[in-house]
Amino acid sequence: MILAYGVANLLQSVAATRTTVHHTFDPGLLLRLASHRTYLVGLGCQGLGFLLAFLARRDLPLFLVQASVAAGLGVTALLGVLVLKWRLPAAEVGLLVLLFAGIGALVLAAEPAPSRQIGPLGLAALAIALAVIGALGFFAVRLHGAPGSVALGSLAGMAFSAAAVAARPLAAVHSAEALLFHPLLYLLLAHTVVGQLLLGLAMQRGSTTAAVAAMDAAGAVPAAIIGLLFLGDRIWPGREWLAMVGFLVTLASVIGLTRYAEPQHHHQVAPVHRRRPVRLHQPVPAARR
């Protein structure tokens, strides 16, 4: 699952940087991205990661599964070094070590347990969240550069977090017919599509790891809290401190990785014809568009 999400992040970011930047909340971006073979392969990897995460949510708490999804960012960084020749500073190596140490702590703290089901109020809350995230995305898409990348990535994280909340009880449904007619399935799909659109827009405006880290940071906390309070997620008795430390270390490591994202991004994808205007004219803003 972690490997699948890491490869997906990298491939989708390459396709996003090769697509004309969108300044509106236009679902047509997904169709344009789909014209890139690289994006489709990345989407396939993400689909595999989603399926594995869905199956994991049947018994594992959301704080563990979402943190594991966030760990895909570490795989993205390592692949960037091996495939795209990104530089890996010593500080980032330390952050990657902390990231996987945090995941290890969560694995030791998580107690497997089936999920509670979501009632009508929960369904209504997920529907309202979908509308709010979409409305915020309509305005956030007007932001450019790093602020736009972080804002849109954060909204994508919230959408994927809501999808994870819907997936936890949905994974416990054993009948294919019941699954097909379950309202949670369509809320999950709607949140996933909106999240995918927001992530594509975020990757167009900034670096891959900045967009993905913002997404993971914004999406991990709500899902973890909702899982513990409402879905029956459990921690082994006496290991609450380990779960807290593991979650905070994982989250801090993901956020810390954004520091090195911008140089890596520009090192790989900035075309040569963009470098000359920066030297001849001055427009630093032009380099960020």
Side-chain angles (χ1 to χ4, degrees):
M1 177 178 68
I2 295 175
L3 178 62
Y5 274 114
V7 174
N9 292 335
L10 190 70
L11 294 178
Q12 290 182 36
S13 72
V14 171
T17 56
R18 295 175 181 173
T19 305
T20 304
V21 176
H22 279 53
H23 302 290
T24 60
F25 193 64
D26 180 12
L29 172 62
L30 294 178
L31 296 177
R32 292 179 179 87
L33 288 172
S35 65
H36 295 274
R37 184 180 303 175
T38 302
Y39 183 81
L40 293 177
V41 175
L43 195 62
C45 291
Q46 184 171 352
L48 175 61
F50 178 84
L51 176 61
L52 295 174
F54 181 81
L55 296 175
R57 292 184 185 109
R58 179 179 300 173
D59 296 308
L60 297 178
L62 286 178
F63 67 81
L64 173 58
V65 179
Q66 295 309 107
S68 299
V69 171
L73 180 59
V75 175
T76 302
L78 292 175
L79 289 176
V81 172
L82 297 174
V83 180
L84 302 182
K85 308 305 180 185
W86 288 354
R87 295 179 180 177
L88 194 64
E92 187 166 359
V93 174
L95 287 171
L96 291 174
V97 172
L98 286 176
L99 176 64
F100 290 106
I103 297 296
L106 290 174
V107 170
L108 294 175
E111 180 182 1
S115 172
R116 297 174 189 162
Q117 291 301 309
I118 292 179
L121 289 179
L123 294 174
L126 287 172
I128 293 172
L130 179 65
V132 171
I133 292 170
L136 292 174
F138 179 81
F139 294 102
V141 76
R142 302 176 184 179
L143 299 174
H144 306 285
S149 181
V150 171
L152 290 165
S154 298
L155 289 173
M158 294 179 187
F160 287 131
S161 180
V165 170
R168 174 85 162 105
L170 190 63
V173 176
H174 298 292
S175 166
E177 182 179 358
L179 181 67
L180 184 61
F181 291 100
H182 204 299
L184 281 176
L185 174 63
Y186 300 98
L187 285 169
L188 183 154
L189 293 175
H191 276 286
T192 300
V193 171
V194 170
Q196 197 65 33
L197 173 59
L198 289 166
L199 179 59
L201 291 166
M203 285 179 170
Q204 286 191 322
R205 284 158 175 75
S207 67
T208 301
T209 45
V212 175
M215 175 186 72
D216 290 335
V221 176
I225 293 175
I226 292 173
L228 288 170
L229 293 180
F230 302 108
L231 299 181
D233 289 359
R234 297 179 184 176
I235 300 172
W236 288 109
R239 298 184 186 178
E240 292 82 3
W241 66 273
L242 186 60
M244 178 63 70
V245 171
F247 189 80
L248 292 177
V249 167
T250 301
L251 194 61
S253 301
V254 167
I255 296 173
L257 285 169
T258 62
R259 175 180 176 183
Y260 306 98
E262 189 168 353
Q264 293 169 351
H265 177 78
H266 290 296
H267 173 75
Q268 173 59 27
V269 301
V272 175
H273 71 272
R274 277 191 173 181
R275 294 173 185 167
R276 291 183 178 175
V278 174
R279 285 198 295 259
L280 296 178
H281 302 296
Q282 96 174 347
V284 173
R288 294 181 181 173
R289 289 176 197 158

